[in-house]
């Protein structure tokens, strides 16, 4: 499986994880001039921007380590743009990182890190 296909499958797995937790998926791969947001979800008055990192097992470091300061800054800027366009300024916001890895049995490991970083 190519890295691109693995990433797309990982995003679908992460979206399903959130849906099973009672969230509503608002956007998947939202693109704007400031970047891309993997998943935008809502649960009651909470807006969640989830950065999904899918990796094969055995790689160096954790998938979340790929979400460095520069990546966090881009996600926050794109999120601010989304909020300004959708008029959701009054909604609480959270930034998550979701680590997704395929398992040998064909399943998936999902580790969600809520509030992985903050909006500056």
């Amino acid at each position: 499986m190519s890295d691109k296909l693995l990433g797309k499958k990982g995003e679908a797995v992460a979206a399903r994880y959130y849906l099973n937790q009672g969230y509503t998926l608002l956007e998947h791969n939202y693109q704007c001039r400031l970047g891309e947001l993997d998943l935008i979800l809502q649960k009651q008055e909470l807006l969640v921007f989830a950065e999904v990192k899918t990796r094969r097992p055995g790689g160096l470091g954790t998938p979340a380590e790929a979400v460095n300061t520069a990546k966090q800054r881009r996600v926050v800027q794109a999120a601010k743009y989304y909020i300004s366009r959708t008029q959701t300024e009054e909604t609480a916001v959270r930034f998550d990182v979701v680590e997704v890895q395929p398992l040998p049995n064909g399943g998936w490991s999902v580790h969600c890190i809520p509030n992985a970083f903050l909006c500056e």
Side-chain angles (χ1 to χ4, degrees), residues 11-101:
E11 288 175 357
V13 168
R16 191 168 50 247
Y17 166 84
Y18 279 104
L19 293 172
N20 289 338
Q21 302 295 320
Y23 289 81
T24 300
L25 180 63
L26 301 177
E27 299 279 348
H28 182 198
N29 294 125
Y30 174 83
Q31 295 184 359
C32 67
R33 62 184 176 85
L34 298 170
E36 180 182 327
L37 299 166
D38 292 339
L39 301 174
I40 304 173
L41 308 114
Q42 187 168 12
K43 188 172 186 179
Q44 297 166 355
E45 298 301 316
L46 176 64
L47 193 60
V48 175
F49 296 93
E51 179 65 20
V52 180
K53 289 297 172 192
T54 307
R55 297 288 187 270
R56 289 180 177 82
L60 296 176
T62 66
E65 290 174 343
V67 186
N68 59 25
T69 305
K71 178 63 174 176
Q72 291 174 18
R73 200 173 307 119
R74 287 191 302 271
V75 169
V76 168
Q77 290 305 311
K80 287 179 179 179
Y81 180 85
Y82 175 84
I83 290 167
S84 73
R85 294 292 181 203
T86 58
Q87 300 171 346
T88 53
E89 290 91 356
E90 302 302 316
T91 306
V93 172
R94 188 176 83 201
F95 294 93
D96 294 356
V97 172
V98 185
E99 299 178 315
V100 180
Q101 293 183 305

Side-chain angles (χ1 to χ4, degrees), residues 95-114:
F95 294 93
D96 294 356
V97 172
V98 185
E99 299 178 315
V100 180
Q101 293 183 305
L103 298 173
N105 67 3
W108 295 86
S109 167
V110 178
H111 178 231
C112 180
I113 306 168

